[in-house]
Amino acid sequence: MSAITATLDLEDDMTAVVTNMLRQFPKGSRVKLAISEVPPATPVPSLEEYRQMIATARQKAPHGPWTTTAETMKALREGEED
């Protein structure tokens, strides 16, 4: 059984595109065609916008009890010894 999955940007005349997709099936074949709309892709932020979003998220995150990785690892090791 053959299957085709494709996402197409609709233009004025898509007849040729659909016809070419269906050509792979032999004449007389029965095919099931399911068409659904794909939600538009969200715009991708620029690198600077992404960095700004991360900085904002870090400011909103609750502060941890440690300021450095070394302090965190020391506290974890001490917890293992108890």
Side-chain angles (χ1 to χ4, degrees):
M1 183 165 104
S2 296
I4 299 173
T5 302
T7 301
L8 308 170
D9 289 325
L10 295 182
E11 296 177 14
D12 292 335
D13 183 18
M14 295 301 295
T15 306
V17 174
V18 174
T19 301
N20 287 334
M21 289 173 57
L22 294 175
R23 279 200 176 119
Q24 90 167 38
F25 300 100
K27 273 191 173 178
S29 297
R30 290 185 56 183
V31 296
K32 179 179 181 180
L33 179 64
I35 299 175
S36 60
E37 186 175 3
V38 177
T42 57
V44 177
S46 68
L47 180 57
E48 190 52 42
E49 291 170 329
Y50 176 76
R51 287 179 175 162
Q52 184 60 42
M53 291 176 355
I54 295 298
T56 302
R58 285 183 175 148
Q59 290 172 353
K60 290 181 180 180
H63 294 287
W66 310 289
T67 55
T68 66
T69 303
E71 289 177 9
T72 305
M73 294 308 294
K74 181 180 177 189
L76 290 172
R77 284 189 208 101
E78 289 171 357
E80 289 175 354
E81 293 172 2
D82 292 338

